Amino acid sequence: MDKKVIVVGGASGVGAACVRSLAEAGASIVSLDRSEELGRSVAEQAGQHFLTCDVTNRDQVFAVIDEAAGLLGGVDSLVHAAGILVQGPAEDIDDETWAHIMDINARGPMLTNQAVLPHLKKGDRSSIANFASSSALTAYPNGAAYAASKGAVTAWTRTIAVEWARFGIRANVIHPSARTAMFEQHLAKMNEEELAAYKKVLWQKIPLGGEFGDPDRDIAPVITFLVSDGARFMTGQNIAVNGGYYI
Ligand SMILES: NC(=O)c1ccc[n+]([C@@H]2O[C@H](COP(=O)([O-])OP(=O)(O)OC[C@H]3O[C@@H](n4cnc5c(N)ncnc54)[C@H](O)[C@@H]3O)[C@@H](O)[C@H]2O)c1
């Protein structure tokens, strides 16, 4: 696949799997993340570039995406996987927590999407894939701020799919379920009893395999497809890659 791709959040989990999957498919990639050591190591192992970037820093985002475009000689696609999980009862969310998660999970994709726009406009079949979460589409008890931030990126993506279609840019949003560092963080909050009950729920509610998926085998290949011209007639879609969870 002859595509030039920026992967945001490429140091860990699904983003790292996207770097590997896209590289294997023949794409040229610049991976961005605030986690420098890990990000560099993942990118270098895949034979790709890495640049440090905090998605909440507007000036840095615009400068780094311009630099990435220079390294690649243009940009065909941006995949934004960077995000954080914050949990807690809805009634306890304070302004600082709300602002922090919105900054990274909602404002972050807005900034990277805006910054890459002038580069994508130069191509004729460009695309954006933003990561949201099933929590944008269904209730997520103990995660209301996270769910709200993912609802924001879902709505943002749907709207730019229409606004930027005139530039030939597709934009889709992915709702994954994958065994990553973020998933481990989610499990770490549970005691033994809660963990056993949660695993039972997953077993009952995920028809394909009864557990979250593998980032490399189950999630990243879908992103590689979305970046490819095979997906040229898909835009504005909510794409759940979750083994059938919530159906
Ligand atoms: N794992 C899941 O089951 C799951 C479920 C629903 C949604 N998601 C979403 O998928 C995406 C990827 O999740 P993951 O599970 O791979 O998580 P992860 O924690 O393994 O990776 C997230 C990456 O984002 C980077 N990041 C965080 N804040 C950043 C910032 N300010 N600037 C730059 N980089 C930053 C981290 O350094 C990390 O490399 C996230 O947006 C997440 O919300 C994941």
Side-chain angles (χ1 to χ4, degrees):
M1 175 171 51
D2 184 22
K3 292 282 185 189
K4 298 159 182 166
V5 187
I6 296 176
V7 177
V8 187
S12 170
V14 168
C18 289
V19 171
R20 291 188 284 269
S21 173
L22 285 159
E24 203 168 305
S28 305
I29 299 145
V30 176
S31 167
L32 313 181
D33 204 290
R34 68 177 174 185
S35 174
E36 184 170 1
E37 201 178 326
L38 203 54
R40 197 171 297 286
S41 150
V42 168
E44 283 177 3
Q45 274 175 36
Q48 306 298 324
H49 295 284
F50 174 80
L51 297 171
T52 309
C53 182
D54 181 338
V55 300
T56 65
N57 182 329
R58 177 177 276 274
D59 291 345
Q60 190 183 45
V61 166
F62 276 72
V64 167
I65 285 186
D66 283 352
E67 188 181 345
L71 283 169
L72 292 168
V75 188
D76 297 305
S77 294
L78 178 123
V79 176
H80 187 118
I84 58 161
L85 174 65
V86 172
Q87 288 175 294
E91 60 270 32
D92 291 346
I93 299 163
D94 57 26
D95 291 351
E96 202 183 331
T97 306
W98 179 269
H100 180 59
I101 195 158
M102 284 294 173
D103 208 22
I104 296 179
N105 287 3
R107 188 170 155 269
M110 176 196 72
L111 292 179
T112 62
N113 293 184
Q114 285 180 339
V116 82
L117 179 62
H119 303 289
L120 296 186
K121 273 178 169 177
K122 291 178 191 158
D124 57 352
R125 277 186 209 151
S126 311
S127 67
I128 290 173
N130 288 325
F131 275 81
S133 159
S134 306
S135 66
L137 308 172
T138 187
Y140 184 44
N142 209 41
Y146 178 77
S149 72
K150 292 303 188 177
V153 74
T154 300
W156 160 266
T157 309
R158 185 186 302 127
T159 295
I160 61 168
V162 175
E163 282 195 20
W164 296 353
R166 68 187 190 278
F167 306 125
I169 298 168
R170 299 181 291 108
N172 291 291
V173 63
I174 297 91
H175 309 282
S177 291
R179 298 187 302 273
T180 63
M182 186 178 286
F183 179 59
E184 292 302 327
Q185 181 195 336
H186 179 57
L187 299 185
K189 298 247 163 67
M190 301 179 193
N191 63 34
E192 223 170 286
E193 210 172 293
E194 290 167 336
L195 191 60
Y198 181 65
K199 286 194 171 169
K200 198 170 164 200
V201 168
L202 294 188
W203 178 249
Q204 289 166 342
K205 293 216 167 161
I206 302 182
L208 285 180
E211 60 174 355
F212 274 32
D214 176 78
D216 285 275
R217 292 175 63 201
D218 298 325
I219 314 293
V222 178
I223 305 305
T224 298
F225 164 69
L226 283 175
V227 165
S228 79
D229 290 337
R232 54 176 280 165
F233 203 47
M234 285 180 71
T235 198
Q237 298 304 304
N238 285 297
I239 299 160
V241 193
N242 60 11
Y245 203 11
Y246 301 114
I247 57 176

